[in-house]
């Protein structure tokens, strides 16, 4: 089964000022966000990617470019509108401090599956389109490149949280229990029997074990298994690494 790295874009000017950017054009990474994207790109550089798929919004395209520029190969780069930011409608562009006083805010926190943003989309609709796109692209990549293929999807916090909730078998109403920080990496494999969530919200750590040539097993390892083995490094022999 192929492996998808779900990467959130780095911090933006809107994140730093507490504004819900949504799909507003021209929202770019700030210096902190550019540094975050560069660190994530460095982490992923040890993994030969077959593709980098990005949300069309600028902050994701910036993060995607940072990742592809650190690759020694030439991964296919594409834009996928189905993993773009949630359409927050009339909430877009407003301060989070002000939105937290709206009656709908409590529903977003406790019962997101019932949320339809005024003038925008439902959170259920956001999850449905994003999950369908990630699963479709993953299947296409595995068919084209085999079960050892690794690819990246660069998207947004709520979108990635909703994809992880689906992979974990969680109801959307529980997805606020999942954290997805700026430029974080989460890892999912869609296996024959079930999705496997390998890691969530990682901001550091060696990912070179993903470059291993052997295909992951479709079966869950009873008892947990032996973990991942990091390839030999300049400092010595192989070492065990857990994301």
């Amino acid at each position: 089964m192929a492996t998808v790295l779900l990467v959130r874009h780095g911090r933006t000017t809107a994140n730093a000022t507490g504004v819900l950017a949504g799909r507003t054009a021209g929202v770019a990474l700030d210096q902190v966000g550019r540094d975050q994207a560069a660190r994530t790109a460095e982490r992923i550089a040890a993994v030969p990617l077959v593709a980098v798929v990005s949300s069309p919004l600028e902050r994701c395209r910036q993060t995607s470019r940072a990742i592809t520029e650190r690759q020694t190969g030439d991964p296919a780069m594409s834009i996928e509108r189905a993993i773009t930011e949630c359409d927050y409608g009339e909430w877009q562009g407003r301060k989070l401090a002000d939105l937290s006083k709206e009656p709908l805010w409590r529903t977003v926190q406790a019962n997101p599956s019932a949320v339809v943003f005024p003038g925008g989309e439902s959170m259920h609709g956001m999850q449905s389109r994003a999950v369908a796109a990630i699963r479709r692209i993953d299947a296409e990549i595995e068919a084209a490149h085999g079960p050892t293929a690794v690819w990246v999807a660069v998207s947004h916090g709520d979108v990635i949280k909703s994809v992880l909730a689906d992979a974990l078998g969680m109801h959307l109403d529980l997805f606020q229990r999942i954290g997805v920080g700026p430029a974080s990496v989460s890892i999912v494999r869609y296996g024959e029997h079930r999705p496997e969530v390998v890691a969530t919200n990682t901001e550091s750590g060696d990912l070179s074990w993903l470059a291993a040539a052997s295909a992951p097993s479709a079966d869950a390892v009873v008892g947990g298994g032996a973990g991942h083995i990091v390839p030999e490094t300049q400092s010595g022999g192989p070492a065990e690494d857990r994301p």
Side-chain angles (χ1 to χ4, degrees), residues 206 208-209 212 226-241:
D206 191 341
S208 61
W209 56 272
H228 305 294
I229 303 299
V230 176
E232 291 190 14
T233 64
Q234 294 179 349
S235 60
E240 193 171 337
D241 177 73

Side-chain angles (χ1 to χ4, degrees), residues 107-195:
T107 308
V108 171
Q109 303 303 311
N111 188 208
S113 68
V115 170
V116 180
F117 291 101
E121 72 178 328
S122 68
M123 297 196 88
H124 176 73
M126 172 197 72
Q127 182 186 44
S128 296
R129 60 162 166 88
V131 168
I134 293 295
R135 287 177 176 259
R136 171 180 53 79
I137 296 167
D138 188 78
E140 292 170 351
I141 284 175
E142 180 165 345
H145 299 280
T148 62
V150 182
W151 65 287
V152 166
V154 182
S155 188
H156 307 268
D158 281 348
V159 175
I160 293 174
K161 286 166 61 175
S162 74
V163 172
L164 289 171
D166 169 76
L168 288 163
M170 295 170 57
H171 195 281
L172 183 60
D173 285 346
L174 304 178
F175 100 137
Q176 302 292 21
R177 301 183 183 193
I178 302 170
V180 175
S184 64
V185 178
S186 300
I187 307 173
V188 177
R189 288 171 172 151
Y190 291 98
E192 177 184 352
H193 306 300
R194 69 193 73 80

Side-chain angles (χ1 to χ4, degrees), residues 195-231:
E196 177 189 6
V197 178
V198 180
T200 64
N201 196 33
T202 69
E203 297 179 355
S204 62
D206 191 341
L207 296 175
S208 61
W209 56 272
L210 282 166
S214 59
S217 172
D219 292 331
V221 179
V222 177
H228 305 294
I229 303 299
V230 176

